Amino acid sequence: MLKRLASELRNFPGVTRKNPIGPLVEKFADHPENVIASFGEDAAVIEVGDEGLVFAADGIWDKLMRADPFWAGYCSVLVNTHDIAAMGGTPLAMVSICSTSNEGICNRLVEGINTGMDKLNVPMVGGHTNPDCEYNAIDVAIMGTIDLDHVIYSTTANPGDDIVVGIDLEGRVHPSFQYNYDTTTMKDKEILLKQLGSMEKLAQQNLVTAGKDISNPGMVGTAGMMIETCNQGAEIDINSIPKPKNIDMIDWIKMYPGMGFVVTTPPEKTEKAIEVFEKSNLTSKKIGKVRDHRKLIIKDRDKKETIFNFEKDKITGISCRKPKKQHR
Amino acid sequence: MLKRLASELRNFPGVTRKNPIGPLVEKFADHPENVIASFGEDAAVIEVGDEGLVFAADGIWDKLMRADPFWAGYCSVLVNTHDIAAMGGTPLAMVSICSTSNEGICNRLVEGINTGMDKLNVPMVGGHTNPDCEYNAIDVAIMGTIDLDHVIYSTTANPGDDIVVGIDLEGRVHPSFQYNYDTTTMKDKEILLKQLGSMEKLAQQNLVTAGKDISNPGMVGTAGMMIETCNQGAEIDINSIPKPKNIDMIDWIKMYPGMGFVVTTPPEKTEKAIEVFEKSNLTSKKIGKVRDHRKLIIKDRDKKETIFNFEKDKITGISCRKPKKQHR
């Protein structure tokens, strides 16, 4: 079981498709002083006057677009708001690039975007259309505000920290896409905003050292990406992974959940962090520890299996770039 | 000649591909109070604390991407910085979504982006990669800062205003794409930044009532888009259109120039506006007048031809939305 889990994750496209990011990022030049953090983070952090801004973009996997344009449009809003929320920020506005020559697809795409906007309370303020395109695609960018004294970075976990997840388990495998566990379309706006706001609360109370939203690589894959960019390793106990009862672990481990975050906490703050997640309508558990051995290991009681050895393997391959300022 | 020009423009894909924008935009809900202006503008204008922000996105036409990935990458930076400059703003940072499974294409794309970043002085701070995609695409979003007391909107031209262009005529038809007149790749950064900065100067000196960067619809097509969203009409004198000597008017009128803006000015300020453009290394001319008849007309001495009657025709079909605040 453990061997199979490790192998499934190692070869899961949701994880392996992150491989080309590192080399791409290295090609972009260094940044001016006002860019506090950028690659390796869910959103770039920029200082403008007295304001802190966060800026991110996400393209929707073309598999998902082919499967269900409404869901692709909806997800384009969901993943972008998550990028801002994961940093402890507040979404401000989005812009979109809609590429399709098919009016039916376009309408369903826009309906999905509209539904997402309503649920997650972020306006779409502009963008671009490619109405004569040979492909169908939706790309969205988002900006938000952030308190620069309380940012949750992805690159700042310390060895010895606990790894904690906060995740919504009440949902369904999305009928259009087997790797998506939808927990948001059936819930009220108030609950969703409370869940999204959990990270800002953790930031304001200085409870976490690092954090990220759980994206296509799934819960363990996302923890792996974070640990890799932190230049650390991790041990994750598969028996402590929160999971919906009716889904197999092999499937669950590869799923993109509608609402979920992974954070690292100093052990003395773990209980408080879990409390913040639970009060925000999320299920929260400690699932492992940050280690200094540069390996992503899963364990089942006394058995252990290495998924990645970052001395030679990579997920994104982004080398660790610590934020230029850290106020905490 | 005049009839042919009108017909070429009316049916030019650079213009007609803007048609689906209006219905798309109408589907997006209304915006919160801090969004000062959005659809119909080159960039959305947002108020955050004491700061003014501008936010835009541009996808690159797939025709151009197929023709030359380096040039597509370069243009993704060029058009985005233009969107911010056209409002009178200053670019701050970009994010990109690179979609391609072809490493060669990806490398040329990123080289193009990098060259653009160097030339135009804007960092790329994040984004997303789709490395397992069935298509090749580059989408970029940009944010910038702006002085909210001196914004150049697209929707605020008045009947009786002069229509003035500022454009760089020193360049070449791009070898990869017949509709692109490249004036930037062969010039130094200092000249390009001076040219881009012309709009901020016009804004600070309160010389213009409206303005836009010249994009895929070409000089007259862009003036038409602006006039349409202003709920006005225009008469443009084709004999006053600045044009490189070695290019036919029929071709020129459909070209996307590397660096160009169209603005409207109260007649008593026209001379000063032209001076600002000329001092910024651009050729500047008055090319027409804003009218209240809702038609886009071109004229050649005493002959006139209507390209669009906005009572029944459309370019974008975006209904006029005046900015919520206008400080000038």
Side-chain angles (χ1 to χ4, degrees):
Chain A
M1 166 72 168
L2 208 58
K3 261 197 195 324
R4 170 136 184 246
L5 268 182
S7 150
E8 289 272 345
L9 254 182
R10 204 178 289 128
N11 301 305
F12 173 47
V15 171
T16 56
R17 71 196 297 272
K18 298 288 178 190
N19 289 174
I21 295 178
L24 209 65
V25 162
E26 295 305 324
K27 285 180 192 168
F28 291 129
D30 280 338
H31 295 148
E33 221 25 63
N34 63 346
V35 180
I36 311 293
S38 56
F39 293 104
E41 303 294 345
D42 290 315
V45 180
I46 304 173
E47 196 170 13
V48 177
D50 294 334
E51 294 290 337
L53 298 174
V54 263
F55 189 22
D58 262 308
I60 294 300
W61 206 348
D62 62 342
K63 271 189 191 192
L64 199 153
M65 183 68 184
R66 279 195 298 277
D68 185 343
F70 176 93
W71 182 237
Y74 183 85
C75 282
S76 71
V77 178
L78 188 65
V79 297
N80 271 283
T81 46
H82 264 80
D83 282 339
I84 301 301
M87 308 288 296
T90 307
L92 196 60
M94 298 179 293
V95 289
S96 62
I97 296 135
C98 298
S99 303
T100 178
S101 60
N102 180 311
E103 210 184 314
I105 290 178
C106 185
N107 286 339
R108 273 174 292 149
L109 190 59
V110 170
E111 262 174 59
I113 293 174
N114 256 321
T115 308
M117 281 164 57
D118 283 349
K119 285 253 180 196
L120 300 160
N121 225 18
V122 201
M124 184 69 73
V125 298
H128 189 85
T129 51
N130 280 321
D132 46 12
C133 212
E134 289 187 0
Y135 52 85
N136 303 313
I138 174 70
D139 290 340
V140 171
I142 190 165
M143 57 183 276
T145 52
I146 200 159
D147 172 357
L148 285 176
D149 289 333
H150 297 93
V151 181
I152 301 178
Y153 294 103
S154 295
T155 48
T156 44
N158 300 314
D161 284 349
D162 288 336
I163 300 173
V164 172
V165 293
I167 189 165
D168 190 349
L169 296 180
E170 284 173 27
R172 55 163 193 173
V173 176
H174 194 275
S176 301
F177 205 62
Q178 57 163 322
Y179 294 133
N180 287 172
Y181 186 71
D182 167 28
T183 65
T184 66
T185 55
M186 67 294 277
K187 291 206 179 78
D188 284 346
K189 185 181 201 147
E190 290 65 35
I191 292 181
L192 301 180
L193 294 181
K194 208 170 165 189
Q195 292 173 326
L196 275 177
S198 59
M199 292 294 273
E200 196 187 351
K201 286 214 176 71
L202 291 171
Q204 287 297 334
Q205 297 176 41
N206 295 322
L207 294 175
V208 304
T209 52
K212 224 173 171 59
D213 67 299
I214 302 177
S215 57
N216 276 329
M219 191 190 294
V220 178
T222 300
M225 277 207 296
M226 182 166 77
I227 286 309
E228 181 190 22
T229 50
C230 286
N231 261 338
Q232 305 292 344
E235 259 179 48
I236 288 170
D237 178 359
I238 62 151
N239 297 307
S240 60
I241 286 178
K243 180 182 86 58
K245 284 200 184 79
N246 57 342
I247 301 181
D248 262 8
M249 184 59 91
I250 291 281
D251 294 325
W252 177 242
I253 211 162
K254 291 184 284 190
M255 261 182 211
Y256 165 65
M259 185 74 68
F261 303 97
V262 52
V263 298
T264 55
T265 55
E268 70 277 13
K269 294 183 175 178
T270 300
E271 205 175 316
K272 278 216 133 184
I274 288 174
E275 208 179 292
V276 169
F277 274 138
E278 294 275 357
K279 278 193 180 154
S280 309
N281 280 79
L282 295 169
T283 298
S284 183
K285 282 264 169 63
K286 172 186 161 186
I287 63 163
K289 292 288 269 184
V290 179
R291 301 291 185 204
D292 61 3
H293 52 40
R294 301 282 289 131
K295 286 176 192 161
L296 178 63
I297 290 171
I298 45 174
K299 63 175 188 178
D300 178 6
R301 268 148 295 184
D302 57 344
K303 276 179 263 173
K304 287 185 184 184
E305 197 62 41
T306 300
I307 307 181
F308 293 109
N309 175 353
F310 295 123
E311 301 292 349
K312 53 188 183 68
D313 308 325
K314 67 170 182 174
I315 303 178
T316 66
I318 295 178
S319 60
C320 183
R321 295 156 194 252
K322 298 279 180 211
K324 288 181 194 156
K325 295 183 189 179
Q326 242 185 302
H327 299 263
R328 271 171 296 148
Chain B
M1 167 72 169
L2 207 59
K3 261 197 195 323
R4 169 136 185 244
L5 268 182
S7 151
E8 288 274 344
L9 254 181
R10 202 178 291 130
N11 301 304
F12 173 47
V15 171
T16 56
R17 71 196 296 273
K18 299 288 178 191
N19 289 175
I21 296 178
L24 210 64
V25 162
E26 295 305 323
K27 286 182 192 167
F28 292 130
D30 280 338
H31 295 148
E33 220 26 63
N34 63 345
V35 179
I36 311 293
S38 57
F39 294 103
E41 303 294 343
D42 290 315
V45 180
I46 303 172
E47 195 169 13
V48 176
D50 294 335
E51 294 290 336
L53 298 174
V54 262
F55 189 21
D58 262 309
I60 294 300
W61 206 347
D62 63 341
K63 271 189 191 191
L64 199 154
M65 182 71 184
R66 280 195 297 276
D68 185 342
F70 175 93
W71 182 237
Y74 183 86
C75 282
S76 71
V77 178
L78 188 63
V79 297
N80 271 283
T81 47
H82 264 79
D83 282 339
I84 301 301
M87 308 288 297
T90 307
L92 196 60
M94 298 177 293
V95 290
S96 62
I97 296 135
C98 298
S99 303
T100 178
S101 60
N102 180 311
E103 209 184 314
I105 289 178
C106 184
N107 286 339
R108 274 176 290 149
L109 190 59
V110 170
E111 263 174 58
I113 292 174
N114 255 321
T115 307
M117 282 163 56
D118 284 349
K119 285 255 179 192
L120 300 162
N121 224 18
V122 200
M124 185 69 73
V125 299
H128 189 85
T129 49
N130 282 320
D132 47 11
C133 212
E134 289 187 359
Y135 53 85
N136 303 311
I138 174 69
D139 289 339
V140 170
I142 190 165
M143 57 182 277
T145 52
I146 199 159
D147 172 356
L148 286 177
D149 289 333
H150 297 94
V151 180
I152 300 177
Y153 294 101
S154 295
T155 47
T156 44
N158 300 314
D161 284 349
D162 287 337
I163 300 174
V164 172
V165 293
I167 189 165
D168 190 349
L169 296 180
E170 284 172 29
R172 55 164 192 169
V173 176
H174 194 275
S176 301
F177 206 63
Q178 56 162 324
Y179 294 131
N180 288 172
Y181 187 72
D182 167 30
T183 65
T184 66
T185 55
M186 66 295 279
K187 291 207 180 78
D188 285 346
K189 186 182 200 147
E190 289 66 33
I191 292 180
L192 301 180
L193 294 181
K194 209 170 162 188
Q195 292 174 326
L196 275 176
S198 59
M199 291 294 273
E200 195 187 351
K201 285 213 176 72
L202 291 172
Q204 287 297 333
Q205 297 176 41
N206 294 324
L207 294 176
V208 305
T209 51
K212 224 174 170 59
D213 68 299
I214 302 177
S215 58
N216 277 330
M219 190 190 294
V220 178
T222 300
M225 276 207 298
M226 182 166 78
I227 286 309
E228 182 190 21
T229 50
C230 287
N231 260 339
Q232 306 292 345
E235 259 180 48
I236 289 171
D237 178 359
I238 63 152
N239 296 305
S240 61
I241 287 178
K243 180 181 87 57
K245 283 201 186 78
N246 57 343
I247 300 180
D248 263 7
M249 184 59 91
I250 291 281
D251 295 325
W252 176 241
I253 211 161
K254 291 184 284 189
M255 262 182 208
Y256 165 65
M259 185 73 69
F261 303 97
V262 51
V263 298
T264 55
T265 56
E268 70 277 13
K269 295 182 174 178
T270 300
E271 204 177 315
K272 278 216 133 181
I274 288 174
E275 208 181 290
V276 169
F277 274 138
E278 294 275 357
K279 277 193 180 155
S280 308
N281 280 80
L282 296 169
T283 298
S284 184
K285 282 265 170 62
K286 173 186 160 186
I287 64 162
K289 293 288 269 184
V290 180
R291 301 292 186 203
D292 61 5
H293 51 40
R294 301 282 289 133
K295 286 177 191 161
L296 178 63
I297 290 171
I298 45 174
K299 63 175 188 177
D300 178 7
R301 268 149 296 184
D302 55 345
K303 275 180 264 172
K304 287 185 183 182
E305 197 64 41
T306 299
I307 307 181
F308 292 108
N309 174 355
F310 295 123
E311 301 291 349
K312 52 188 184 70
D313 309 324
K314 65 170 182 175
I315 301 178
T316 64
I318 296 177
S319 60
C320 183
R321 293 156 195 251
K322 298 280 178 208
K324 287 181 193 156
K325 293 184 189 180
Q326 242 185 302
H327 299 263
R328 270 172 293 146

